Amino acid sequence: MSTAYQQIVHAFNQHPDQAFRVRELHELLGMPTDAPAMNVTRSRLRRLTRQGFLAQPGEIATRNGLNDL
């Protein structure tokens, strides 16, 4: 897993009860909040969801198995 993926998973592990929108996740991680950068993160979140690391109910991604929003 690349560093960006590790940072995302780490953020969810550090805040297991919190749901993040992409912009909130970027702000937490100190990542750029421009549209192209956030679109890349959306793709990463979808990949992490497909691989079972995260669950994504609606538009909010949450750590797998912790929240069913």
Side-chain angles (χ1 to χ4, degrees):
M1 205 180 296
S2 76
T3 303
Y5 285 96
Q6 290 170 339
Q7 288 178 321
I8 292 168
V9 172
H10 182 72
F12 282 98
N13 286 337
Q14 293 299 309
H15 305 278
D17 296 326
Q18 183 172 347
F20 293 101
R21 295 199 178 277
V22 175
R23 179 174 294 280
E24 295 167 341
L25 186 60
H26 271 237
E27 290 169 353
L28 176 70
L29 297 175
M31 299 169 85
T33 56
D34 60 285
M38 292 195 310
N39 286 335
V40 169
T41 298
R42 284 184 185 93
S43 295
R44 288 179 174 141
L45 289 169
R46 282 190 290 272
R47 183 173 185 197
L48 289 168
T49 300
R50 280 193 315 270
Q51 293 177 344
F53 290 102
L54 301 174
Q56 187 176 4
E59 295 181 12
I60 300 174
T62 59
R63 190 147 159 23
N64 191 25
L66 292 178
N67 294 317
D68 289 326
L69 300 177

